[in-house]
Amino acid sequence: MAHTHMLNIVIFGPPGSGKGTQSEKLLDKFQLKHISTGDLLRAERAAETELGKQANAFICKGELVPDDVVIGMVRNFMVNHSDSKGFIFDGFPRTVNQAIALDSMLDESKTTITCVLGLEVGENELVSRLLLRGLSSSRIDDQDENTIRTRFKEYQNKTLPLQDFYQIQGKYCSIQGTGDLSTIFHSLCACVDKARK
Ligand code: B4P
């Protein structure tokens, strides 16, 4: 069965840039399935699975979880939701290997990424957002500034190269991620609409 009409959105940006926040709004509008690898990993940890325990050691240090773990998890999710109209990939891919794996998983379903929405936010604003969330959530990785700085380093070294990867494919759309939530949301929707034409 061909699924070329599917809408597949990657929401991209550094830790705390608003990926999770804006994904919720996009899901509502476009009726897609949400794949947040951060949420899936935290659910595995809460269920005390072997995968969850393994992942937790990396998350607590602010490091990326190994590619094979994350890719396997995403593959399972996609197989279990193969009747979906499309997906929002939130926090995935985070490495070039993950991006290559995603392209081939979508290719197996005869579909592709529609667009990559990149949220741009400066580092100082990101640190204060995450520390603020750390006060009210149980996320250990948001509570300590050193862990947050490690997450940024991981982002710079391993995730940022994906910007070029998607720019070359003509799929990258850069969006100012500071300011009013609904203004940001409207900019994201404008990129999606343009990519669908
Ligand atoms: P994630 O759960 O993806 O965490 P995140 O990058 O911090 O983004 P999140 O979506 O939660 O936050 P948001 O920007 O929406 O990953 C956590 C960890 O899991 C990683 O460090 C890694 O160890 C592991 N992991 C996950 N995926 C992986 C992968 N693919 N490969 C390897 N490892 C992986 O929001 C942050 C805060 O900002 C919120 O409090 C929000 O209210 C606020 N905010 C949002 N928009 C705002 C705005 N416009 N103004 C002011 N505040 C705003």
Side-chain angles (χ1 to χ4, degrees):
M1 187 170 39
H3 292 291
T4 38
H5 58 284
M6 276 173 85
L7 175 59
N8 297 304
I9 299 171
V10 172
I11 186 144
F12 183 86
S17 54
K19 301 184 294 290
T21 310
Q22 294 294 336
S23 289
E24 295 301 329
K25 292 170 160 292
L26 291 164
L27 288 172
D28 235 33
K29 179 172 162 94
F30 295 107
Q31 301 290 304
L32 303 171
K33 284 276 179 246
H34 188 200
I35 306 192
S36 160
T37 41
D39 287 351
L40 290 174
L41 291 167
R42 284 184 288 275
E44 294 280 347
R45 180 177 59 196
E48 297 182 351
T49 63
E50 209 34 61
L51 192 156
K53 285 180 203 158
Q54 206 188 326
N56 193 42
F58 295 95
I59 295 173
C60 288
K61 286 188 278 180
E63 291 171 11
L64 292 184
V65 173
D67 284 339
D68 53 343
V69 174
V70 178
I71 293 166
M73 210 174 58
V74 171
R75 182 184 291 281
N76 282 342
F77 188 97
M78 287 173 70
V79 168
N80 292 332
H81 296 86
S82 56
D83 56 345
S84 157
K85 288 163 66 181
F87 296 100
I88 294 190
F89 297 95
D90 165 6
F92 181 89
R94 263 176 154 103
T95 64
V96 172
N97 274 340
Q98 291 180 19
I100 292 169
L102 178 59
D103 278 347
S104 85
M105 289 189 277
L106 290 171
D107 194 50
E108 281 166 29
S109 307
K110 310 247 179 314
T111 185
T112 179
I113 293 169
T114 312
C115 57
V116 177
L117 307 174
L119 291 165
E120 309 280 344
V121 182
E123 188 162 323
N124 290 340
E125 159 94 12
L126 293 170
V127 174
S128 57
R129 282 187 193 182
L130 292 171
L131 287 171
L132 188 68
R133 183 170 66 182
L135 294 176
S136 60
S137 85
S138 57
R139 284 188 55 168
I140 319 152
D141 57 341
D142 283 344
Q143 312 207 343
D144 168 60
E145 190 161 338
N146 284 330
T147 311
I148 292 173
R149 298 277 175 203
T150 305
R151 285 160 69 193
F152 290 141
K153 276 194 211 116
E154 289 278 83
Y155 177 79
Q156 291 285 340
N157 295 336
K158 299 178 182 167
T159 309
L160 205 53
L162 290 181
Q163 225 170 351
D164 275 352
F165 182 92
Y166 288 121
Q167 232 143 22
I168 290 165
Q169 294 188 13
K171 292 191 171 167
Y172 191 80
C173 183
S174 168
I175 294 116
Q176 171 73 255
T178 48
D180 189 54
L181 290 186
S182 65
T183 309
I184 300 168
F185 179 61
H186 284 116
S187 309
L188 295 172
C189 291
C191 286
V192 175
D193 288 340
K194 201 170 152 210
R196 288 173 103 182
K197 282 193 184 127

